[in-house]
Amino acid sequence: MVDNGVSDSLFKMPTIKFTKLFINGHFVDSISGKTFETIDPRTGEVIVKISEGTKEDIDAAVAAAREAFDTGPWPRMTGVERAKIMVKWAELIEENGEELAALDTIEAGLLYQLTKFGIPAAADMLRYYAGAADKIHGEVLKSSGQFHAYTLMEPIGVVGHIIPWNVPLMMFFTKVAPSIAAGCTMVLKPAEQTPLSALFAGVPDGVLNVVPGFGPTAGAAISSHMEIDKVSFTGSVETGREVMHAAASSNLKAVSLELGGKSPLIIFDDADLDKAADLAFFGMEKYVLLVLEGIYDELEKKLVEKAKAWVVGDPFDPKTNQGPQADKNQFDKILSYIEHGKKEGATLLTGGKSIGTKGYFIEPTIFSHVKEDMRITQDEIFGPVMTLMKFKTIEEAIKRANNTRYGLAAGIVTKNIDTANTMSRSIRAGIVWINCYLILESDIPFGGYKISGFGGKDLGLNALHKYLQLKSVVTPIYNSPWH
């Protein structure tokens, strides 16, 4: 079902308050005076012009972060003191929740009902890491000689964060919350498509600096900066390689990468097929659907019926199931993959076309009888394109699930605990969802295997360790009465 009209009665555009760079506690114009346009994907029209950060602005932001770390109060506060500020920040997020949710919907085309759900999740993430801020500690070691030895967990220093356009606010706090709890200071570059919610910040001067800009300029300046101690990047494999190269060629800074995936969703013949179809549509842009052959035709039919009833339209409309794609480049990329699928011989069951002449809307698209070597099977499309393959045995399902260069995630739909256990231990992926999909919470570590990334997990207490470094301290003990 198609309804890509943008209804003024459903939503009133909020006043855009912040359009400048945020450096050392102040909103400032870029040094060059340059701006760039951020686009409403519903219409293709300009929302607002944003100050464009370049290398010189990154230098200024890093200088502020470096001073804040080396001489400022943030890393010298107790964990309790940092936690109080983080909790206050969480309250401010909730107070401004509707506006922040609207900004993500306007910029990224995300459903408003989902971005609203993300507000309490973002606030809770701040509170989660606030609760961990005063529990960062080393341990006392047992030395074999007359020595006292212990370890310290120290903040790594100045961190450079580079985040993508999908779920902008949640991605922002996924990176910022653990690093700020650890006592680090930072420079963050949001995606050029979605800078607005990232500019809604509020912590002590120099601790968090936000510089919107483009990857080849602002992003490259972060990756290669000699005064940044760590870079954390989420995005494409190609750009991740460039980040690694720049980090290695500069000060050999630590790197954490989360590089996406093409994840299997594996459905067995004891599954509730209606639930399986719901899960399939919930995460269609991220996976390959592997279906046991005995239920393949029945599930295929349910998926096609669901696609034809799927409402594509204004993401502010509560009846909408799918909004527009984030920008023109992503829109064109998805359509090109659909053409590849046709040319490579996959069966197009439904969809496959853009919708309307305004905005970046694409029909939910289902390809059946795909092969493992097809581009639509191997590449991360990140759009409403579903690919279906059959399997006959659990061994074949495992082989096909692992026949990918990615290893971000996987889903399993079955009522058999033995099947679930075997599959979850056999698939080479960083997270496996059983009878659910895309469940992301503050306490659940998230990050992939293989080229889906390395350098530590996002979320969970594990994420703190990405922004800490371990120091051992040894001192002599004289005349100890015991050893």
Side-chain angles (χ1 to χ4, degrees):
M1 185 181 297
V2 175
D3 177 18
N4 69 322
V6 177
S7 172
D8 293 331
S9 64
L10 291 171
F11 172 74
K12 183 179 179 181
M13 176 77 77
T15 301
I16 307 297
K17 300 175 182 177
F18 308 116
T19 61
K20 298 182 179 183
L21 316 182
F22 185 70
I23 297 176
N24 204 23
H26 302 283
F27 286 99
V28 297
D29 292 317
S30 61
I31 293 172
S32 68
K34 291 182 178 180
T35 62
F36 65 93
E37 297 174 341
T38 183
I39 303 297
D40 185 341
R42 302 174 303 162
T43 62
E45 298 171 357
V46 176
I47 303 170
V48 71
K49 290 186 177 181
I50 302 290
S51 292
E52 180 187 338
T54 60
K55 181 181 183 302
E56 291 73 22
D57 303 294
I58 295 295
D59 288 342
V62 172
R66 174 54 62 192
E67 183 176 358
F69 185 80
D70 289 346
T71 65
W74 189 254
R76 291 158 187 83
M77 288 181 180
T78 66
V80 171
E81 291 172 325
R82 284 200 298 272
K84 288 180 179 178
I85 294 173
M86 294 175 70
V87 169
K88 178 61 177 176
W89 194 5
E91 293 170 354
L92 291 172
I93 293 298
E94 289 175 330
E95 289 173 12
N96 294 277
E98 289 189 6
E99 183 175 354
L100 286 166
L103 291 176
D104 274 6
T105 294
I106 292 167
E107 289 187 293
L110 299 170
L111 297 182
Y112 187 51
Q113 56 187 331
L114 294 181
T115 58
K116 283 195 301 182
F117 175 79
I119 297 303
D124 287 348
M125 191 179 298
L126 275 168
R127 294 187 181 100
Y128 175 86
Y129 287 107
D134 65 341
K135 299 170 184 67
I136 298 169
H137 57 79
E139 59 182 347
V140 176
L141 308 173
K142 181 67 175 178
S143 171
S144 61
Q146 296 295 317
F147 299 96
H148 176 59
Y150 59 95
T151 60
L152 298 172
M153 298 295 292
E154 300 182 342
I156 200 166
V158 177
V159 178
H161 294 299
I162 305 172
I163 64 174
W165 48 260
N166 59 310
V167 289
L169 188 69
M170 286 301 297
M171 192 61 66
F172 178 93
F173 284 109
T174 295
K175 302 296 186 181
V176 169
S179 52
I180 214 166
C184 296
T185 61
M186 61 210 67
V187 177
L188 182 140
K189 189 199 87 65
E192 58 268 23
Q193 299 93 335
T194 54
L196 294 177
S197 60
L199 291 169
F200 232 98
V203 288
D205 293 356
V207 174
L208 172 62
N209 305 273
V210 181
V211 183
F214 293 89
T217 50
I222 288 174
S223 302
S224 62
H225 207 288
M226 296 296 290
E227 291 296 320
I228 289 180
D229 301 299
K230 168 150 190 148
V231 61
S232 176
F233 170 80
T234 296
S236 71
V237 172
E238 294 74 20
T239 305
R241 295 184 194 277
E242 294 178 12
V243 169
M244 283 186 66
H245 184 269
S249 300
S250 52
N251 59 343
L252 209 63
K253 61 178 66 64
V255 176
S256 292
L257 302 176
E258 197 273 274
L259 304 178
K262 188 73 170 184
S263 303
L265 177 60
I266 307 158
I267 301 175
F268 288 87
D269 58 1
D270 61 347
D272 179 328
L273 293 191
D274 289 323
K275 181 177 181 179
D278 289 341
L279 292 176
F281 270 82
F282 184 56
M284 78 170 88
E285 75 277 3
K286 296 292 290 181
Y287 66 77
V288 175
L289 194 63
L290 301 176
V291 184
L292 194 61
E293 64 174 358
I295 58 169
Y296 188 93
D297 292 341
E298 184 180 356
L299 182 62
E300 184 182 89
K301 181 180 178 182
K302 286 182 178 291
L303 292 171
V304 170
E305 291 173 351
K306 195 172 183 68
K308 291 180 177 177
W310 200 247
V311 179
V312 181
D314 187 346
F316 286 102
D317 188 334
K319 297 189 296 293
T320 297
N321 300 117
Q322 175 193 311
Q325 304 311 302
D327 67 358
K328 182 67 162 57
N329 287 339
Q330 185 64 17
F331 174 80
D332 290 340
K333 174 186 172 183
I334 295 166
L335 291 177
S336 72
Y337 270 109
I338 291 172
E339 291 306 310
H340 278 298
K342 294 176 184 177
K343 292 176 182 177
E344 290 180 323
T347 302
L348 179 63
L349 297 178
T350 187
K353 300 187 294 295
S354 62
I355 300 171
T357 58
K358 183 171 68 172
Y360 309 129
F361 297 88
I362 296 176
E363 294 176 335
T365 300
I366 302 177
F367 281 104
S368 182
H369 300 101
V370 301
K371 297 179 180 179
E372 289 175 294
D373 59 353
M374 290 180 177
R375 289 188 63 183
I376 58 172
T377 307
Q378 289 294 325
D379 292 355
E380 182 181 39
I381 300 174
F382 226 116
V385 180
M386 190 183 301
T387 54
L388 281 72
M389 282 196 296
K390 292 180 182 179
F391 68 90
K392 296 181 180 180
T393 65
I394 192 170
E395 292 77 17
E396 183 183 2
I398 292 168
K399 182 178 179 181
R400 289 197 165 189
N402 287 327
N403 186 23
T404 170
R405 63 188 184 277
Y406 293 108
L408 183 61
I412 301 163
V413 187
T414 180
K415 296 175 184 176
N416 187 313
I417 188 64
D418 294 328
T419 298
N421 283 335
T422 298
M423 294 299 297
S424 61
R425 285 160 172 75
S426 300
I427 296 173
R428 297 181 61 201
I431 185 168
V432 177
W433 293 290
I434 300 172
N435 297 323
C436 58
Y437 205 76
L438 217 58
I439 305 302
L440 302 173
E441 295 185 359
S442 297
D443 200 39
I444 302 174
F446 181 80
Y449 291 3
K450 299 187 279 188
I451 70 166
S452 286
F454 62 87
K457 304 290 187 180
D458 287 328
L459 304 177
L461 293 177
N462 306 69
L464 277 173
H465 293 279
K466 295 203 298 185
Y467 307 108
L468 296 166
Q469 50 192 355
L470 184 69
K471 175 184 287 182
S472 296
V473 181
V474 184
T475 182
I477 296 292
Y478 300 105
N479 302 317
S480 175
W482 55 270
H483 180 65

